[in-house]
């Protein structure tokens, strides 16, 4: 494949890069907010709990255990906040790198377009193609991975919330299910579900 820059290609690749930059900038902002919110929320909780404890002492009463527990938790376990923010930090780093690369390549394309009688510059054509294509692939992959991660997290939480039954509870549970199934009327084949209670329509 012979690579070559042209006016049409420069216009097309610019459209793709700008679209990817728009989405990437929004993603970077959202992820950056998610990353910093972990520390901002912890600082806010620490300040509020400390203020409430000070006011309680001024009133001559003991601070609320919930406030003292929150302060101890924040001070004694800082790594917990690091673990919670690691994924968001890595995602921010990736998107910052991608957006920076897109900006640099877009500037090169604009410089090429502004040159009087520009050369075909196959290196720039190849680089801009791979960068734009990589950004588009990353956008699609990130959306799919986010959905899969959220589904996996929800499923994992559902399994954690599940409470196992004893043998007697399980037998009672299955008997209740069987009785419910047996008592539920079923519509005849091709019948109207609205008349599935066994009664015939009067003529």
């Amino acid at each position: 494949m012979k690579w070559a820059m042209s006016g049409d290609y420069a216009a097309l690749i610019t459209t793709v890069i700008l679209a990817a930059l728009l989405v990437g900038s929004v993603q970077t902002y959202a992820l950056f907010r998610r990353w910093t919110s972990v520390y901002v929320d912890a600082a806010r909780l620490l300040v509020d709990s400390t203020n409430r404890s000070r006011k309680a002492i001024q009133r001559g009463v003991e601070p609320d255990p919930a406030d003292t527990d929150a302060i101890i938790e924040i001070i004694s376990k800082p790594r917990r906040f690091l673990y919670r923010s690691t994924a968001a930090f890595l995602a921010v780093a990736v998107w910052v790198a991608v957006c920076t690369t897109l900006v640099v390549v877009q500037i090169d394309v604009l410089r090429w377009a502004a040159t009087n009688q520009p050369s075909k510059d196959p290196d720039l054509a190849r680089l801009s193609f791979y960068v734009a294509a990589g950004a588009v692939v990353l956008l699609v992959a990130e959306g799919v991975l986010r959905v899969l991660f959220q589904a996996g997290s929800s499923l994992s939480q559902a399994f954690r919330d599940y409470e196992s039954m004893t043998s007697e509870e399980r037998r009672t549970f299955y008997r209740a299910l069987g009785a419910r199934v047996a008592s539920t009327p079923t519509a005849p084949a091709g019948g109207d579900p609205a008349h599935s209670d066994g009664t015939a329509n009067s003529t």
Side-chain angles (χ1 to χ4, degrees):
M1 178 179 179
K2 291 184 179 181
W3 298 91
M5 289 293 296
S6 66
D8 291 340
Y9 175 77
L12 176 62
I13 204 68
T14 295
T15 301
V16 175
I17 289 177
L18 291 179
L21 264 177
L22 176 61
V23 179
S25 299
V26 173
Q27 288 291 88
T28 302
Y29 173 78
L31 291 167
F32 189 79
R33 285 286 302 272
R34 187 185 308 169
W35 172 45
T36 56
S37 66
V38 174
Y39 301 98
V40 172
D41 292 345
R44 185 75 266 172
L45 178 60
L46 181 62
V47 171
D48 291 344
S49 299
T50 302
N51 289 340
R52 285 193 295 267
S53 298
R54 179 179 59 83
K55 291 178 181 179
I57 293 172
Q58 290 175 345
R59 295 194 305 270
V61 298
E62 289 293 324
D64 190 329
D67 289 328
T68 55
D69 289 346
I71 295 171
I72 294 172
E73 180 75 11
I74 294 172
I75 295 176
S76 63
K77 298 180 180 179
R79 287 183 298 179
R80 181 170 66 91
F81 302 101
L82 178 62
Y83 294 150
R84 288 173 54 192
S85 63
T86 298
F89 170 75
L90 293 177
V92 167
V94 169
W95 275 112
V96 167
V98 170
C99 289
T100 301
T101 304
L102 287 170
V103 169
V104 171
V105 171
Q106 181 58 49
I107 291 174
D108 289 340
V109 172
L110 292 176
R111 183 183 295 114
W112 176 92
T115 302
N116 185 29
Q117 295 182 348
S119 64
K120 293 184 177 182
D121 202 342
D123 292 335
L124 178 58
R126 184 186 304 107
L127 175 63
S128 60
F129 171 80
Y130 285 130
V131 168
V136 172
V137 170
L138 179 61
L139 285 172
V140 175
E142 194 223 12
V144 173
L145 291 176
R146 187 189 303 116
V147 171
L148 292 177
F149 176 77
Q150 292 173 348
S153 298
S154 300
L155 187 60
S156 177
Q157 183 63 46
F159 281 120
R160 286 196 298 269
D161 293 341
Y162 174 77
E163 298 178 1
S164 59
M165 300 181 183
T166 64
S167 299
E168 181 61 30
E169 290 172 339
R170 190 175 295 109
R171 284 193 293 269
T172 303
F173 175 67
Y174 288 142
R175 282 198 300 269
L177 288 179
R180 179 58 181 169
V181 171
S183 65
T184 301
T186 57
D192 186 354
H195 301 287
S196 58
D197 57 354
T199 61
N201 291 335
S202 61
T203 56

